[in-house]
Amino acid sequence: MQTTSPAAAPPVREPRHAPVARLIRGGVVEGVHHGSVVVLDADGTTRFRLGDTEAAFYPRSALKPVQAVAMVRAGLPLEGELLSLAAASHSGEDRHLAGARRILELAGLTEGDLRNVPDLPFDPTVRDTWVRAGRLPSRLAQNCSGKHTAMLYTCRLNGWSLDDYLDPAHPLQRAVAETVEDLTGQRVARVTVDGCGAPLFAVSLHGLARAAARITTAAPGTPEARVADAMREHAETASGSGRDVAALMRAVPGLLAKDGFEGVEVAALPDGRAVAVKISDGANRARVPVAAAALALAGVDPARLTEFAGEPLLGGGEPVGCVRPVEALSPEALPSACA
């Protein structure tokens, strides 16, 4: 249930992104990544912003923690690893598929009830093994299957129809939209379809950061706190082995982090400090170091962020450069991988 009336929807316009990272090779700027970044203090005020943090955009899978909160508010009883999976963009590892099957079993349903798009596992190594075994794309292997199984379970518990659970007018999706507006503090600007087939809601980057802060500062036992605890305690379930967001949550105590396709990342600390990043060209090579720089600006010890400063660029197999956040984003204490 909404606690306050949300503000107006963010404007729909071409985002006024700014340079956020530079590709440097041999001391020469070879390319520039544009995007937007917002850093919030614990009291919700904006500590730093760069680019266009108020335009409507699609958070993609970075919105999954909010969707999971909506389902818990609607009665989803999952906890721990299975609740983390409900908010996951998983890698398709055995643990992920087994968890998705377990949620379906709890709901008394099967893979045939899912309406997400069949796909191969997201993790390249897992995907290669899958293909070598002659296995075809499946709905369980698709990286959003945890969310979809949880959506079906929520529908079954509420007596809602199953076949049309992805319709934006369905009671489940109306509940998700209400939670999105509640936690972001603003009306949804547009509704479209995400890659998995679920409704996707356009908010602002600032609103996404507010939502993450609302989740991490919620009282113990609330739907928000349950989702945050599950994702932090089971970070590999919410993503996968070797994934950068899982490593980031392990490196920074109490941090909740979630990535999304097209260069989106949101992260928040238990005291409400939060960051949100959008890379305009969707490049992960910029998303990771820019998010790390934003967290350093939020007050996270840079020593905990060393491994997220960006992978070196190679020339002839040797490091010759890096992707470096722009000066406004990059505290001197944050290490650089540039040669």
Side-chain angles (χ1 to χ4, degrees):
M1 181 176 296
Q2 292 183 356
T3 54
T4 58
S5 297
V12 176
R13 63 183 179 226
E14 182 174 346
R16 302 161 185 164
H17 291 309
V20 294
R22 295 186 176 92
L23 173 65
I24 300 174
R25 183 182 295 271
V28 174
V29 176
E30 187 175 32
V32 179
H33 291 284
H34 289 70
S36 296
V37 181
V38 64
V39 179
L40 303 183
D41 275 324
D43 62 1
T45 58
T46 300
R47 175 181 295 197
F48 175 88
R49 67 159 54 97
L50 182 63
D52 194 344
T53 64
E54 304 302 335
F57 89 118
Y58 291 118
R60 303 299 299 271
S61 286
L63 199 62
K64 283 178 178 172
V66 178
Q67 293 170 309
V69 169
M71 289 186 274
V72 175
R73 287 181 176 183
L76 184 69
L78 300 179
E79 300 285 354
E81 194 166 9
L82 293 183
L83 182 53
S84 182
L85 186 62
S89 299
H90 66 70
S91 291
E93 300 167 29
D94 287 344
R95 78 176 90 186
H96 301 126
L97 274 63
R101 290 191 189 98
R102 178 57 181 155
I103 296 173
L104 286 173
E105 290 171 1
L106 290 170
L109 301 170
T110 69
E111 184 176 355
D113 293 297
L114 291 168
R115 294 292 180 266
N116 60 320
V117 177
D119 201 356
L120 297 171
F122 179 77
D123 181 88
T125 301
V126 178
R127 182 170 60 247
D128 288 347
T129 301
W130 187 283
V131 171
R132 283 196 299 270
R135 303 176 72 177
L136 299 175
S138 81
R139 298 185 193 276
L140 276 181
Q142 198 268 337
N143 77 91
C144 301
S145 67
K147 177 180 74 176
H148 282 257
T149 56
M151 285 182 169
L152 282 172
Y153 191 14
T154 304
C155 292
R156 174 55 65 90
L157 291 168
N158 284 278
W160 296 332
S161 57
L162 302 180
D163 289 346
D164 61 342
Y165 76 93
L166 297 182
D167 188 328
H170 190 279
L172 170 67
Q173 302 304 338
R174 292 203 306 268
V176 171
E178 180 179 326
T179 300
V180 169
E181 292 187 338
D182 177 29
L183 295 182
T184 63
Q186 59 191 177
R187 297 286 184 192
V188 169
R190 292 283 173 87
V191 181
T192 189
V193 181
D194 210 339
C196 65
L200 179 62
F201 306 97
V203 295
S204 70
L205 196 67
H206 192 172
L208 181 64
R210 277 196 301 265
R214 287 278 306 278
I215 290 172
T216 58
T217 58
T222 60
E224 294 90 333
R226 286 169 55 190
V227 170
D229 290 344
M231 293 181 69
R232 290 182 294 216
E233 292 169 13
H234 303 278
E236 286 79 10
T237 303
S239 54
S241 303
R243 295 273 290 279
D244 59 87
V245 287
L248 186 60
M249 285 193 275
R250 290 194 302 269
V252 182
L255 185 74
L256 176 69
K258 185 69 187 76
D259 57 344
F261 279 156
E262 300 304 326
V264 182
E265 184 158 341
V266 65
L269 292 153
D271 65 1
R273 285 174 290 160
V275 308
V277 170
K278 164 64 181 175
I279 306 300
S280 65
D281 62 2
N284 282 328
R285 72 178 184 184
R287 172 183 61 80
V288 176
V290 168
L295 285 168
L297 285 175
V300 173
D301 182 357
R304 295 186 177 276
L305 301 169
T306 302
E307 67 177 294
F308 310 102
E311 297 181 3
L313 299 177
L314 303 181
E318 298 296 327
V320 294
C322 68
V323 177
R324 175 186 290 166
V326 295
E327 289 78 5
L329 259 172
S330 187
E332 293 182 5
L334 190 64
S336 171
C338 275

